[in-house]
Amino acid sequence: MTAPVVLEETTAESAALTVVRARHPGRWIAGAAVAVLLAMAGNALVTNPAWDWPVVGEYLFHPSVLHAVLFTVELTGLGIALGFLLGTVLALMRLSRVPLLASVAWGYVWLFRSVPLILQLLFWYNLAALYKQISFGVPFGPAFLSVGTMDLIGPVTAAALGLALHQAAYAAEIVRGGFLSVDPGQLEAAAALGIPRARQILRIQLPQAMRSIVPAAGNEIIGLVKGTSVVYIMALPELFYQVQVIYNRTGRVIAMLLVAAIWYLVLTTVLSVGQYYVERRFGRGLARPGPSARMRRLRQALAVRRAAPGRAGGGEGGPR
């Protein structure tokens, strides 16, 4: 009969202990230092007249700037769509058991990752210097149709082609890495069950591979949004080129660079938000909680802490 008494005494002693939280002065010092730096940066942005914020507001939604933003989005969309389509084909070629297909895909990735993007754009822009005409017909035989290279590949086509072919090399490695991240035992089990190869890829391998593909692909898409600024060498009216035209005419260099920076921030932020929801869509069923789950747990913990003093007070002040 002594064990319950000892247990009650131990429980009472434990309840009487005061919980003292660990102190972290270094965190407070670091937080205060960062807050001071942020306040200094904000003050410099607001009080320094050299930033020329009235001119920024004047040109931020200027029609020429909006058209340039739209053209930048169009170039990005073409580069991503064509690049990842070709990149997926190259990834499947590299995973093929046919040595010729794997070698050709490897050579493509090696070549287009080795040559800078600006050189590729200039090459496609000056393709007419190598071939005056592009012919369609029987290989090594007669041509049925011939088109002038300058008529077929204009500046916009050259820019989209260069961006897409350059992006395909990186997309191929992203897609290939995603496919390799899936356990091959699942495909072996699916093959043993008689599931067709195409269905294995579409219904088993691809949904799991997307968990690895989406984060890297999101980075590539955001990088391509900024990479479109390279096409200014072809005098195409994308965002960076249009900003240059305006500040060369007005002399407001800093203000126009801020306009470009703000629009790039807007575009990349929208893409980052979209990437978050796509990742959450393909990340269903994972053991680790996502950001939304963490926020929900944090709100629940705060609600419990706010309700705890009320319950304790009611227990002490109520009838016994």
Side-chain angles (χ1 to χ4, degrees), residues 249-262:
R249 185 178 68 246
T250 62
R252 304 291 188 175
V253 179
I254 299 299
M256 296 312 302
L257 291 178
L258 274 175
V259 170
I262 291 172

Side-chain angles (χ1 to χ4, degrees), residues 85-96 105 109 168 171-177 179:
L85 181 62
L86 179 58
T88 303
V89 175
L90 290 170
L92 295 176
M93 290 172 62
R94 288 210 56 185
L95 296 173
S96 173
V109 172
E173 292 299 282
I174 293 173
V175 175
R176 185 174 70 94
F179 281 141

Side-chain angles (χ1 to χ4, degrees), residues 289-312:
S292 58
R294 297 192 188 100
M295 292 299 297
R296 186 166 57 253
R297 291 181 182 179
L298 178 60
R299 289 194 296 267
Q300 292 175 354
L302 292 176
V304 170
R305 290 195 59 182
R306 286 196 297 266
R311 290 200 304 269

Side-chain angles (χ1 to χ4, degrees), residues 33-247:
V34 171
V36 171
L37 291 176
L38 289 176
M40 293 173 61
N43 180 69
L45 286 173
V46 173
T47 59
N48 190 348
W51 291 105
D52 219 349
W53 289 107
V55 177
V56 173
E58 178 183 353
Y59 282 96
L60 188 61
F61 297 102
H62 194 273
S64 61
V65 174
L66 294 179
H67 291 154
V69 171
L70 180 60
F71 184 68
T72 300
V73 173
E74 291 175 352
L75 276 181
T76 303
L78 286 173
I80 289 300
L82 298 177
F84 271 87
L85 181 62
L86 179 58
T88 303
V89 175
L90 290 170
L92 295 176
M93 290 172 62
R94 288 210 56 185
L95 296 173
S96 173
R97 297 180 182 178
V98 180
L100 179 60
L101 296 179
S103 300
V104 169
W106 180 89
Y108 180 98
V109 172
W110 166 76
L111 178 63
F112 281 85
R113 287 200 307 179
S114 302
V115 180
L117 176 59
I118 190 170
L119 293 182
Q120 296 180 39
L121 291 173
L122 289 174
F123 173 82
W124 292 110
Y125 186 64
N126 296 282
L127 187 62
L130 290 174
Y131 303 99
K132 301 298 182 182
Q133 292 184 338
I134 297 178
S135 301
F136 301 91
V138 179
F140 306 105
F144 303 133
L145 177 65
S146 296
V147 183
T149 304
M150 291 294 294
D151 298 329
L152 185 62
I153 302 179
V156 177
T157 306
L161 191 61
L163 292 172
L165 294 177
H166 175 78
Q167 191 63 41
Y170 294 91
E173 292 299 282
I174 293 173
V175 175
R176 185 174 70 94
F179 281 141
L180 292 177
S181 66
V182 181
D183 185 7
Q186 298 186 33
L187 298 180
E188 294 175 0
L193 293 173
I195 300 177
R197 178 62 178 171
R199 191 171 183 182
Q200 293 177 27
I201 295 175
L202 295 177
R203 302 300 298 272
I204 298 175
Q205 192 173 24
L206 185 59
Q208 299 181 72
M210 289 297 291
R211 296 173 180 173
S212 300
I213 292 174
V214 170
N219 289 335
E220 284 297 317
I221 294 172
I222 291 173
L224 187 60
V225 171
K226 298 175 290 184
T228 54
S229 60
V230 181
V231 304
Y232 81 94
I233 60 171
M234 305 165 69
L236 291 176
E238 53 83 37
L239 180 57
F240 183 63
Y241 177 82
Q242 191 62 38
V243 162
Q244 283 184 309
V245 171
I246 295 175
Y247 74 59

